[in-house]
Amino acid sequence: MLVALIARDTAGALQTRLDNRAAHLAYIEETGVVSQAGPLLDDAGGMIGSLVILDVDDLAAARDWAANDPYAKAGLFQDVELVPWKKVVG
């Protein structure tokens, strides 16, 4: 099952993102369930959130992955939405 994780950063939390980036990327590598991922950007190109496509068994697994992401544990995100997603192109 594909799930889109859409997360918006807490305002002013760029340093939190930068401080936890290596751990976040290692978590992605270790867990092996991320199909695609990247930061959401503002009009100036600054990072303001994340879009992660998870390939997991169910929404419970997606919630578990999201809760254990080092970014989430560091309090980076203002909000996180998990939405089942269907790949059509690409």
Side-chain angles (χ1 to χ4, degrees):
M1 159 181 222
L2 297 175
V3 177
L5 180 155
I6 304 162
R8 304 275 182 187
D9 290 1
T10 301
L14 178 59
Q15 193 60 52
T16 300
R17 176 177 278 278
L18 297 175
D19 290 347
N20 291 280
R21 184 174 169 85
H24 169 72
L25 294 174
Y27 180 65
I28 287 173
E29 184 73 25
E30 290 166 11
T31 58
V33 298
V34 175
S35 174
Q36 299 177 46
L40 300 174
L41 305 175
D42 63 17
D43 291 340
M47 294 180 285
I48 58 166
S50 297
L51 172 63
V52 180
I53 305 298
L54 301 169
D55 189 353
V56 292
D57 291 334
D58 51 34
L59 276 174
R63 282 191 286 275
D64 182 63
W65 190 94
N68 288 294
D69 179 357
Y71 278 169
K73 288 183 171 186
L76 174 62
F77 300 132
Q78 169 183 296
D79 59 73
V80 175
E81 184 177 8
L82 294 167
V83 182
W85 183 69
K86 180 180 178 181
K87 181 177 179 179
V88 175
V89 177

